[in-house]
PDB file of all heavy atoms in Angstrom:
ATOM      1  N   ALA A  19    -141.473  87.036   5.316  1.00  0.00           N
ATOM      2  CA  ALA A  19    -141.480  85.966   6.178  1.00  0.00           C
ATOM      3  C   ALA A  19    -142.661  85.049   5.871  1.00  0.00           C
ATOM      4  O   ALA A  19    -142.601  83.825   5.885  1.00  0.00           O
ATOM      5  CB  ALA A  19    -141.574  86.384   7.629  1.00  0.00           C
ATOM      6  N   THR A  53    -127.445  27.858   8.257  1.00  0.00           N
ATOM      7  CA  THR A  53    -127.859  29.157   7.855  1.00  0.00           C
ATOM      8  C   THR A  53    -128.219  30.049   8.946  1.00  0.00           C
ATOM      9  O   THR A  53    -127.915  31.260   9.040  1.00  0.00           O
ATOM     10  CB  THR A  53    -129.067  29.047   6.823  1.00  0.00           C
ATOM     11  OG1 THR A  53    -128.738  28.146   5.797  1.00  0.00           O
ATOM     12  CG2 THR A  53    -129.422  30.397   6.266  1.00  0.00           C
ATOM     13  N   GLY A  70    -126.663  54.283  12.253  1.00  0.00           N
ATOM     14  CA  GLY A  70    -127.901  54.905  12.656  1.00  0.00           C
ATOM     15  C   GLY A  70    -128.742  54.119  13.661  1.00  0.00           C
ATOM     16  O   GLY A  70    -129.965  54.237  13.642  1.00  0.00           O
ATOM     17  N   PRO A  95    -142.881  43.498   1.068  1.00  0.00           N
ATOM     18  CA  PRO A  95    -142.779  44.759   0.399  1.00  0.00           C
ATOM     19  C   PRO A  95    -141.314  45.113   0.039  1.00  0.00           C
ATOM     20  O   PRO A  95    -140.437  44.885   0.947  1.00  0.00           O
ATOM     21  CB  PRO A  95    -143.346  45.779   1.402  1.00  0.00           C
ATOM     22  CG  PRO A  95    -144.219  44.963   2.279  1.00  0.00           C
ATOM     23  CD  PRO A  95    -143.529  43.590   2.367  1.00  0.00           C
ATOM     24  N   GLY A  98    -136.881  47.409   1.889  1.00  0.00           N
ATOM     25  CA  GLY A  98    -135.580  47.326   2.586  1.00  0.00           C
ATOM     26  C   GLY A  98    -135.765  46.819   3.973  1.00  0.00           C
ATOM     27  O   GLY A  98    -134.750  46.644   4.688  1.00  0.00           O
ATOM     28  N   ALA A 118    -144.471  26.248  -7.067  1.00  0.00           N
ATOM     29  CA  ALA A 118    -144.042  26.850  -5.803  1.00  0.00           C
ATOM     30  C   ALA A 118    -144.690  28.212  -5.608  1.00  0.00           C
ATOM     31  O   ALA A 118    -145.204  28.827  -6.535  1.00  0.00           O
ATOM     32  CB  ALA A 118    -142.509  26.958  -5.777  1.00  0.00           C
ATOM     33  N   VAL A 140    -121.859   9.877   9.456  1.00  0.00           N
ATOM     34  CA  VAL A 140    -122.490   8.797  10.187  1.00  0.00           C
ATOM     35  C   VAL A 140    -122.076   8.865  11.670  1.00  0.00           C
ATOM     36  O   VAL A 140    -121.152   9.556  12.048  1.00  0.00           O
ATOM     37  CB  VAL A 140    -122.103   7.434   9.583  1.00  0.00           C
ATOM     38  CG1 VAL A 140    -122.527   7.332   8.115  1.00  0.00           C
ATOM     39  CG2 VAL A 140    -120.560   7.227   9.681  1.00  0.00           C
ATOM     40  N   HIS A 191    -134.741   7.682   1.486  1.00  0.00           N
ATOM     41  CA  HIS A 191    -134.589   9.082   1.733  1.00  0.00           C
ATOM     42  C   HIS A 191    -135.500   9.553   2.886  1.00  0.00           C
ATOM     43  O   HIS A 191    -136.645   9.294   2.862  1.00  0.00           O
ATOM     44  CB  HIS A 191    -134.865   9.859   0.494  1.00  0.00           C
ATOM     45  CG  HIS A 191    -134.755  11.433   0.686  1.00  0.00           C
ATOM     46  ND1 HIS A 191    -135.785  12.275   0.200  1.00  0.00           N
ATOM     47  CD2 HIS A 191    -133.854  12.181   1.345  1.00  0.00           C
ATOM     48  CE1 HIS A 191    -135.437  13.485   0.512  1.00  0.00           C
ATOM     49  NE2 HIS A 191    -134.322  13.450   1.185  1.00  0.00           N
ATOM     50  N   TYR A 201    -129.447  16.327  11.571  1.00  0.00           N
ATOM     51  CA  TYR A 201    -128.283  15.956  12.295  1.00  0.00           C
ATOM     52  C   TYR A 201    -128.600  15.227  13.630  1.00  0.00           C
ATOM     53  O   TYR A 201    -127.906  14.201  13.947  1.00  0.00           O
ATOM     54  CB  TYR A 201    -127.359  17.173  12.590  1.00  0.00           C
ATOM     55  CG  TYR A 201    -125.995  16.966  13.154  1.00  0.00           C
ATOM     56  CD1 TYR A 201    -125.051  16.230  12.560  1.00  0.00           C
ATOM     57  CD2 TYR A 201    -125.723  17.432  14.509  1.00  0.00           C
ATOM     58  CE1 TYR A 201    -123.778  16.028  13.088  1.00  0.00           C
ATOM     59  CE2 TYR A 201    -124.494  17.292  15.031  1.00  0.00           C
ATOM     60  CZ  TYR A 201    -123.566  16.555  14.353  1.00  0.00           C
ATOM     61  OH  TYR A 201    -122.271  16.335  14.898  1.00  0.00           O
ATOM     62  N   LYS A 237    -114.263  19.807  -5.222  1.00  0.00           N
ATOM     63  CA  LYS A 237    -113.350  19.351  -6.331  1.00  0.00           C
ATOM     64  C   LYS A 237    -112.065  18.902  -5.720  1.00  0.00           C
ATOM     65  O   LYS A 237    -111.376  18.004  -6.284  1.00  0.00           O
ATOM     66  CB  LYS A 237    -113.168  20.537  -7.336  1.00  0.00           C
ATOM     67  CG  LYS A 237    -114.437  20.883  -8.054  1.00  0.00           C
ATOM     68  CD  LYS A 237    -114.128  22.008  -9.143  1.00  0.00           C
ATOM     69  CE  LYS A 237    -115.443  22.344  -9.830  1.00  0.00           C
ATOM     70  NZ  LYS A 237    -115.247  23.490 -10.738  1.00  0.00           N
ATOM     71  N   GLU A 251    -112.125  11.270  -5.105  1.00  0.00           N
ATOM     72  CA  GLU A 251    -110.966  10.477  -4.722  1.00  0.00           C
ATOM     73  C   GLU A 251    -111.424   8.945  -4.419  1.00  0.00           C
ATOM     74  O   GLU A 251    -110.660   8.038  -4.638  1.00  0.00           O
ATOM     75  CB  GLU A 251    -110.289  10.977  -3.467  1.00  0.00           C
ATOM     76  CG  GLU A 251    -109.422  12.133  -3.708  1.00  0.00           C
ATOM     77  CD  GLU A 251    -108.833  12.667  -2.357  1.00  0.00           C
ATOM     78  OE1 GLU A 251    -107.977  11.944  -1.801  1.00  0.00           O
ATOM     79  OE2 GLU A 251    -109.318  13.683  -1.838  1.00  0.00           O
ATOM     80  N   MET A 258    -120.998  18.916  -5.012  1.00  0.00           N
ATOM     81  CA  MET A 258    -122.262  19.555  -4.606  1.00  0.00           C
ATOM     82  C   MET A 258    -121.937  20.660  -3.537  1.00  0.00           C
ATOM     83  O   MET A 258    -121.370  20.326  -2.500  1.00  0.00           O
ATOM     84  CB  MET A 258    -123.238  18.545  -4.049  1.00  0.00           C
ATOM     85  CG  MET A 258    -124.594  19.117  -3.726  1.00  0.00           C
ATOM     86  SD  MET A 258    -125.546  19.699  -5.137  1.00  0.00           S
ATOM     87  CE  MET A 258    -125.866  18.112  -6.035  1.00  0.00           C
ATOM     88  N   ILE A 264    -127.512  36.536   0.771  1.00  0.00           N
ATOM     89  CA  ILE A 264    -128.657  37.395   1.140  1.00  0.00           C
ATOM     90  C   ILE A 264    -129.396  37.979  -0.024  1.00  0.00           C
ATOM     91  O   ILE A 264    -128.773  38.487  -0.932  1.00  0.00           O
ATOM     92  CB  ILE A 264    -128.192  38.542   2.147  1.00  0.00           C
ATOM     93  CG1 ILE A 264    -127.671  37.884   3.461  1.00  0.00           C
ATOM     94  CG2 ILE A 264    -129.375  39.476   2.525  1.00  0.00           C
ATOM     95  CD1 ILE A 264    -127.196  38.884   4.497  1.00  0.00           C
ATOM     96  N   GLY A 269    -137.342  44.943  -6.575  1.00  0.00           N
ATOM     97  CA  GLY A 269    -137.956  46.292  -6.627  1.00  0.00           C
ATOM     98  C   GLY A 269    -137.513  47.207  -5.484  1.00  0.00           C
ATOM     99  O   GLY A 269    -138.156  48.243  -5.318  1.00  0.00           O
ATOM    100  N   LYS A 277    -127.243  50.697  -0.276  1.00  0.00           N
ATOM    101  CA  LYS A 277    -126.854  50.803   1.172  1.00  0.00           C
ATOM    102  C   LYS A 277    -126.801  49.403   1.741  1.00  0.00           C
ATOM    103  O   LYS A 277    -125.816  49.102   2.495  1.00  0.00           O
ATOM    104  CB  LYS A 277    -127.854  51.692   1.940  1.00  0.00           C
ATOM    105  CG  LYS A 277    -127.300  52.012   3.359  1.00  0.00           C
ATOM    106  CD  LYS A 277    -128.153  53.106   4.002  1.00  0.00           C
ATOM    107  CE  LYS A 277    -127.573  53.523   5.349  1.00  0.00           C
ATOM    108  NZ  LYS A 277    -128.325  54.584   6.010  1.00  0.00           N
ATOM    109  N   LEU A 314    -126.563  32.110 -10.140  1.00  0.00           N
ATOM    110  CA  LEU A 314    -127.970  31.560  -9.858  1.00  0.00           C
ATOM    111  C   LEU A 314    -128.581  31.200 -11.261  1.00  0.00           C
ATOM    112  O   LEU A 314    -129.283  30.125 -11.339  1.00  0.00           O
ATOM    113  CB  LEU A 314    -128.782  32.558  -9.115  1.00  0.00           C
ATOM    114  CG  LEU A 314    -128.400  32.763  -7.664  1.00  0.00           C
ATOM    115  CD1 LEU A 314    -129.268  33.844  -7.065  1.00  0.00           C
ATOM    116  CD2 LEU A 314    -128.448  31.518  -6.858  1.00  0.00           C
ATOM    117  N   LEU A 331    -138.235  14.336  -7.972  1.00  0.00           N
ATOM    118  CA  LEU A 331    -139.453  14.330  -7.140  1.00  0.00           C
ATOM    119  C   LEU A 331    -140.356  13.182  -7.699  1.00  0.00           C
ATOM    120  O   LEU A 331    -140.941  13.341  -8.787  1.00  0.00           O
ATOM    121  CB  LEU A 331    -140.154  15.727  -7.137  1.00  0.00           C
ATOM    122  CG  LEU A 331    -141.347  15.863  -6.256  1.00  0.00           C
ATOM    123  CD1 LEU A 331    -140.957  15.739  -4.821  1.00  0.00           C
ATOM    124  CD2 LEU A 331    -142.065  17.204  -6.549  1.00  0.00           C
TER     125      LEU A 331
END
Side-chain angles (χ1 to χ4, degrees):
T53 307
V140 297
H191 176 226
Y201 186 63
K237 294 179 181 178
E251 286 178 70
M258 187 64 68
I264 296 180
K277 190 169 184 177
L314 293 177
L331 186 65

